[in-house]
Amino acid sequence: MNPYNRSGDSPALSPFPTNGAVALAERLSGPGSSENPARIDSVGRGFVEGLSRALGMGVILTSADGRIVDRSAVIEEIFPDTFAPGTRFARELDRVTVPATTGAPFLSGPAGSEAARRVLRGGELRCSAVGAGPARLFSHIRFPVSAPTASPADLIEAHCLLDIRPEKQLFDSYQGELKQLHSMREIIELLYESVGFGDVLNLILVAVTSGEGFGFNRAFFLEVVDGRLKGRLGIGPANAEEAHRIWSHLAEFNTTLRETLSLLTQASCPPDAATQDLARQIDLPLDPGSCKDGDGGILKACRDRRAAAVAHDSGLCELEKALFRTLGSESLAVVPLTVQDRLAGVLLADNFITGRAITAKDVGLLESFSRYAAIALQNSNLLEERTRSLQQLREANHQLQTHQQRLLQAEKLSTLGKVAACVSHEIRNPLAAIGGLTRAVLDDLSNPQISREMLEIVVREVERLERFLKETLSFVKPVRGPMQEGDLVEIVRGVAATFREQFQRSHVELDLEVGEAPMLCSTDPDLLRGALTNLLRNAEDALTSRGGRIRLRLERHDDHFRIDVADDGPGIPEEIRDRIFEPFVTNKEDGTGIGLAIAHENIRSLGGSVSLKADPEEYSTLFRIRIPCRDVPDRGTELSDRNIQAVDLDDREKA
Amino acid sequence: MTDGHRMTDEHRMTGRHRILIADDEPSFRRLYEHELRKAGYEVELASSGKEVLQKVQVKRPDLVILDIRMPGMNGLDTMNRLLEEDNELPVIINSAYPNFRDSYMSWSADAYLVKSSDLSELKRTIREVLETRSVCP
């Protein structure tokens, strides 16, 4: 799935190999066909181009007679006048080299020496310096690419040229630095753009392994779980064959890191199952005491929070040696990812396929990168946590809403129950009395005096029933009579007067603050009286057990009249204050909960408002009525109301 | 057991049980007074719990019938106060509310009746309670 180390100066291919490419060549040409599955049986079209891209250098193919069969596009570009197909390779080589090739093995030099040494170990491979002495320009590497079973006549050889001029090395080095800086910037930009933890992790490992990134062959991420390092993700080829296959595949694309990443997310790139399995096997205790022979480089790097290159033979403890065996690495870059000195995870990287040595520069670059990687991982972790808790909050909220709805439903049902209880009580009482009294009359018809008395009570009880029904219905829909000019002073005083006797009996002192001068207002006196009566009754009920004071005050303000009804009773409990005007809400044992609702509805249909004032100074409960000042009665409304009533009557008479 | 201490001379002379009935509604008071007298009881009336407590002291009734919904002290509280003073006093709860029947508050009553226009159940219950409690007139 991964653009493993394609190395070299890609994306623009160089005709000159790097160490990694030489090592690949070595593997391709090593002895024994079973170890060299990449060897070919025949050379088809495009082979040379694929090989060139895979190696990261220009390739020239020759047949057994030393004639050039094919050459990659880069060779053609750099040496337009030489290495044409059909020409003799040796002669062409002479033409580009000054002086002629010596044929001596190339063993030392300012660059490529290690590569050349490795190449020489490859047996069949031969390496020669092109241009001996101070004039040496190229190192020439050749290796067979045809199947080992092929007859000598069918032998196909690949030739690569290695530029060993010091100025070329310097140039490559600057180019490399520039490219690396550019890549680093691109990777960091990508890190900032990635959001999910999995995406960020994937990007980090791709950056470590891609040729456009840090160019390692494989990378592993270990997370810290309960004081242990556990492998979470690993990417990279499982073997040379897979490496070759993928390199050939990726060679078809001339991709940037960004493009590579989008390629990787496509389904056509299967995950590196084998490498991921290896990652899953990694399990190292971080505790320094767990290795009886002391930590080696890996655990020390983690403890010191310093990146390091650790070789397999560098005094490791047994657990670390086991890790090297599991991964099959010779050398590992160990990069702790730390956030504020807390170990968040560890990156491991190696060059398992190419065997390229891990340099101090590689480690330094990885270490700088690790700071950004750690922060990006931390951020995505936080983000995911936040997303999770947000989701939990959402669920909790949803549940809350569901419960609230159920509660509302239950409350509605309970209100219905209260309504039923209240109505049944209000009806049962007078009904029982009426029934009982009429039975009594029937039982004793001979006594007219008793009968009369009983029947008079019956009449009163029937009136009471009618009144209750009227009150209940008037709550359901207050029937507003015609608006007319009324004197609020007179209305308020009138209502107060009806309570005088009652208040005396129940030891209630009425504090009436109403002026003498009339306050004229467009109103429905019956509705206003009803509202005041209910508020006063409510206040009196609050004082029933011990008596107390009630204040009834009427004032004119700029654009409205204000009527306060207050009492110094126990006050309205907090839990029902908000709902006090809802029907059937009461804290009185025997209350119907309808009085305040009627008052509220009445005042509302007069265009005013009534509210329960919080925290009054003197009185525990204060209801405040506001009625807008409308001095001139609304004749139009009155007339139209009357007309409608008349029409209703007519209809009824006709029906 | 006999509750001789509650009997007054007047009781002994008339040989009739004395019933104190409390209801805040005058219609019921009038109705009960009429019906229970006709049934042969001496009837005392009260319109509130407070009045019940006073009259029990003075009139020494053989049975008290209480409405639940009354201003001030309700019937159940009144009953508790009565029973604190004399836990042998027979009490019948007679209410328009059927839902207090299951309340533990009403367990200590001898009977719980829901008000009805037919007073025969009330009268039967009065008889039964007086017989069960072996209250001598």
Side-chain angles (χ1 to χ4, degrees):
Chain A
M1 76 181 252
N2 203 351
Y4 310 111
N5 179 13
R6 285 196 279 137
S7 201
D9 291 332
S10 55
L13 285 177
S14 152
F16 310 111
T18 61
N19 299 353
V22 173
L24 176 73
E26 177 187 20
R27 284 181 186 257
L28 281 171
S29 58
S33 59
S34 63
E35 286 175 26
N36 299 288
R39 293 280 291 269
I40 53 165
D41 288 323
S42 62
V43 177
R45 268 177 70 95
F47 171 78
V48 69
E49 215 49 55
L51 190 62
S52 170
R53 284 179 182 277
L55 293 173
M57 57 186 168
V59 175
I60 300 159
L61 298 182
T62 57
S63 56
D65 60 2
R67 285 187 186 276
I68 293 173
V69 179
D70 205 351
R71 57 184 169 162
S72 62
V74 182
I75 295 288
E76 193 176 349
E77 195 178 306
I78 307 267
F79 308 106
D81 302 325
T82 43
F83 301 119
T87 58
R88 288 191 172 274
F89 176 73
R91 191 184 298 162
E92 294 299 298
L93 196 60
D94 284 343
R95 285 179 57 199
V96 296
T97 56
V98 179
T101 173
T102 64
F106 176 73
L107 288 173
S108 61
S113 57
E114 191 200 351
R117 259 186 237 112
R118 296 180 61 83
V119 166
L120 285 172
R121 285 214 308 266
E124 273 184 62
L125 261 179
R126 274 174 292 160
C127 186
S128 54
V130 178
R136 279 187 306 218
L137 294 178
F138 303 110
S139 178
H140 168 211
I141 300 166
R142 54 197 284 196
F143 54 92
V145 290
S146 51
T149 49
S151 67
D154 296 331
L155 182 74
I156 303 260
E157 272 192 307
H159 303 264
C160 304
L161 299 177
L162 183 67
D163 190 332
I164 55 170
R165 289 169 300 175
E167 61 268 32
K168 165 66 178 164
Q169 298 300 317
L170 206 59
F171 177 77
D172 282 355
S173 149
Y174 284 142
Q175 284 286 95
E177 302 262 325
L178 265 178
K179 198 177 84 60
Q180 238 144 5
L181 281 175
H182 181 80
S183 296
M184 185 79 109
R185 205 196 66 195
E186 194 178 12
I187 291 166
I188 290 165
E189 271 174 15
L190 282 166
L191 274 180
Y192 280 126
E193 286 168 22
S194 302
V195 173
F197 186 82
D199 288 348
V200 171
L201 195 55
N202 207 30
L203 173 66
I204 289 170
L205 295 196
V206 168
V208 170
T209 53
S210 88
E212 293 78 20
F214 299 96
F216 285 86
N217 292 170
R218 294 191 301 185
F220 300 90
F221 175 74
L222 320 184
E223 56 189 348
V224 181
V225 182
D226 301 330
R228 303 182 75 84
L229 285 176
K230 293 197 172 181
R232 168 152 176 173
L233 186 63
I235 60 175
N239 49 49
E241 181 199 9
E242 197 179 307
H244 180 67
R245 182 169 53 74
I246 295 170
W247 284 337
S248 307
H249 173 69
L250 280 170
E252 293 166 23
F253 303 93
N254 199 6
T255 55
T256 63
L257 183 64
R258 200 177 284 269
E259 288 161 347
T260 304
L261 265 177
S262 74
L263 268 177
L264 292 180
T265 54
Q266 289 168 10
S268 59
C269 285
D272 306 313
T275 308
Q276 176 60 16
D277 281 350
L278 282 183
R280 292 278 181 206
Q281 289 172 36
I282 301 174
D283 186 359
L284 266 185
L286 271 172
D287 177 15
S290 52
C291 279
K292 54 179 184 289
D293 35 356
D295 322 347
I298 297 177
L299 293 171
K300 186 171 185 307
C302 295
R303 208 178 45 231
D304 296 349
R305 313 279 193 262
R306 290 296 302 268
V310 179
H312 70 106
D313 51 1
S314 60
L316 303 172
C317 79
E318 282 311 313
L319 289 166
E320 290 169 326
K321 281 181 191 161
L323 173 66
F324 268 93
R325 278 196 298 278
T326 305
L327 298 183
S329 308
E330 291 193 349
S331 184
L332 274 173
V334 181
V335 187
L337 301 180
T338 55
V339 178
Q340 290 161 355
D341 208 42
R342 192 179 58 79
L343 188 65
V346 176
L347 270 179
L348 297 181
D350 71 359
N351 291 322
F352 164 70
I353 302 291
T354 61
R356 183 169 69 90
I358 297 168
T359 64
K361 193 177 141 204
D362 289 336
V363 172
L365 276 172
L366 266 189
E367 187 163 38
S368 343
F369 169 63
S370 74
R371 298 198 185 101
Y372 296 100
I375 291 168
L377 279 176
Q378 159 109 339
N379 286 348
S380 66
N381 226 345
L382 286 179
L383 190 76
E384 285 194 355
E385 258 170 44
R386 210 167 298 162
T387 312
R388 257 198 307 279
S389 44
L390 200 69
Q391 181 61 24
Q392 281 168 352
L393 269 178
R394 255 190 220 120
E395 278 164 22
N397 190 36
H398 178 73
Q399 275 183 349
L400 207 68
Q401 276 178 346
T402 315
H403 288 164
Q404 211 167 16
Q405 267 166 4
R406 275 189 211 145
L407 212 66
L408 266 177
Q409 193 63 26
E411 210 164 300
K412 268 185 200 162
L413 287 176
S414 117
T415 305
L416 201 67
K418 275 190 213 153
V419 176
C422 160
V423 169
S424 78
H425 180 268
E426 287 296 318
I427 292 177
R428 191 194 299 272
N429 246 345
L431 222 54
I434 291 165
L437 290 161
T438 45
R439 275 165 200 265
V441 172
L442 279 177
D443 285 351
D444 197 3
L445 283 169
S446 57
N447 190 337
Q449 200 187 334
I450 296 275
S451 298
R452 164 172 280 278
E453 187 203 342
M454 297 280 171
L455 288 176
E456 275 168 359
I457 302 176
V458 167
V459 170
R460 277 207 302 279
E461 288 297 331
V462 170
E463 280 169 358
R464 193 176 120 189
L465 265 180
E466 284 173 337
R467 205 164 50 240
F468 170 73
L469 281 179
K470 191 180 152 199
E471 272 182 14
T472 314
L473 291 180
S474 76
F475 162 70
V476 176
K477 189 179 189 332
V479 186
R480 204 190 81 183
M483 294 292 265
Q484 51 186 274
E485 193 176 67
D487 177 7
L488 293 183
V489 171
E490 188 190 315
I491 292 170
V492 171
R493 283 186 177 279
V495 173
T498 62
F499 277 87
R500 189 162 297 133
E501 215 174 298
Q502 218 168 307
F503 282 174
Q504 268 171 6
R505 264 207 310 275
S506 44
H507 309 291
V508 171
E509 189 187 320
L510 180 65
D511 184 4
L512 188 62
E513 295 178 34
V514 181
E516 296 294 332
M519 292 188 192
L520 297 181
C521 176
S522 167
T523 187
D524 176 342
D526 283 343
L527 281 186
L528 184 56
R529 274 190 208 106
L532 287 173
T533 303
N534 275 299
L535 286 173
L536 282 171
R537 201 177 286 154
N538 178 71
E540 187 199 4
D541 285 348
L543 302 173
T544 300
S545 51
R546 55 186 186 89
R549 289 204 308 153
I550 293 177
R551 180 170 73 190
L552 181 56
R553 176 196 276 168
L554 169 64
E555 284 170 342
R556 173 160 193 164
H557 288 252
D558 291 343
D559 60 343
H560 68 276
F561 297 103
R562 179 194 283 177
I563 306 173
D564 284 350
V565 180
D567 68 71
D568 63 353
I572 291 167
E574 195 57 44
E575 63 268 22
I576 61 168
R577 285 184 82 94
D578 291 346
R579 304 185 294 134
I580 194 67
F581 295 118
E582 285 176 28
F584 310 112
V585 170
T586 179
N587 68 321
K588 286 180 270 174
E589 243 167 60
D590 53 351
T592 61
I594 209 166
L596 293 178
I598 290 172
H600 187 252
E601 278 306 304
N602 283 8
I603 297 298
R604 229 172 52 150
S605 59
L606 289 176
S609 68
V610 55
S611 51
L612 175 58
K613 286 293 159 194
D615 196 24
E617 290 158 16
E618 232 177 305
Y619 293 90
S620 48
T621 306
L622 167 61
F623 287 101
R624 175 160 295 167
I625 300 175
R626 288 163 60 106
I627 299 172
C629 294
R630 273 185 306 202
D631 294 334
V632 183
D634 187 347
R635 297 279 173 198
T637 312
E638 187 190 328
L639 280 175
S640 63
D641 280 357
R642 271 186 190 151
N643 287 344
I644 290 164
Q645 281 175 347
V647 169
D648 281 347
L649 274 175
D650 287 352
D651 286 352
R652 221 170 296 147
E653 277 161 13
K654 273 180 224 154
Chain B
M1 66 170 283
T2 57
D3 286 346
H5 66 281
R6 251 203 304 278
M7 295 199 292
T8 60
D9 291 343
E10 196 185 342
H11 274 80
R12 289 197 187 87
M13 284 168 65
T14 58
R16 289 192 294 177
H17 286 106
R18 178 175 294 170
I19 295 174
L20 172 59
I21 188 156
D23 201 304
D24 64 327
E25 304 219 13
S27 320
F28 278 113
R29 287 204 296 276
R30 182 70 191 94
L31 175 64
Y32 293 145
E33 181 187 24
H34 176 79
E35 288 290 314
L36 296 184
R37 278 213 176 117
K38 229 169 65 180
Y41 298 105
E42 271 189 42
V43 181
E44 293 293 337
L45 298 172
S47 59
S48 68
K50 204 170 153 192
E51 202 180 342
V52 170
L53 295 180
Q54 288 166 351
K55 287 206 166 163
V56 161
Q57 295 296 326
V58 183
K59 303 289 182 181
R60 298 267 165 202
D62 300 304
L63 173 70
V64 179
I65 300 173
L66 297 170
D67 184 16
I68 289 185
R69 198 182 88 157
M70 291 189 291
M73 201 189 308
N74 71 35
L76 296 174
D77 289 339
T78 309
M79 175 173 70
N80 285 342
R81 291 280 293 275
L82 285 177
L83 296 180
E84 273 170 27
E85 298 278 316
D86 175 6
N87 67 357
E88 298 295 338
L89 180 64
V91 177
I92 294 175
I93 296 289
N94 183 46
S95 167
Y97 286 110
N99 42 331
F100 284 104
R101 190 197 293 273
D102 301 323
S103 160
Y104 74 96
M105 296 278 283
S106 46
W107 289 350
S108 41
D110 289 78
Y112 189 110
L113 295 177
V114 177
K115 276 186 192 176
S116 158
S117 65
D118 183 356
L119 297 189
S120 49
E121 197 191 349
L122 176 66
K123 290 178 200 162
R124 189 174 62 246
T125 308
I126 293 172
R127 243 184 354 258
E128 281 168 9
V129 169
L130 288 174
E131 275 168 24
T132 318
R133 297 297 213 96
S134 310
V135 179
C136 293

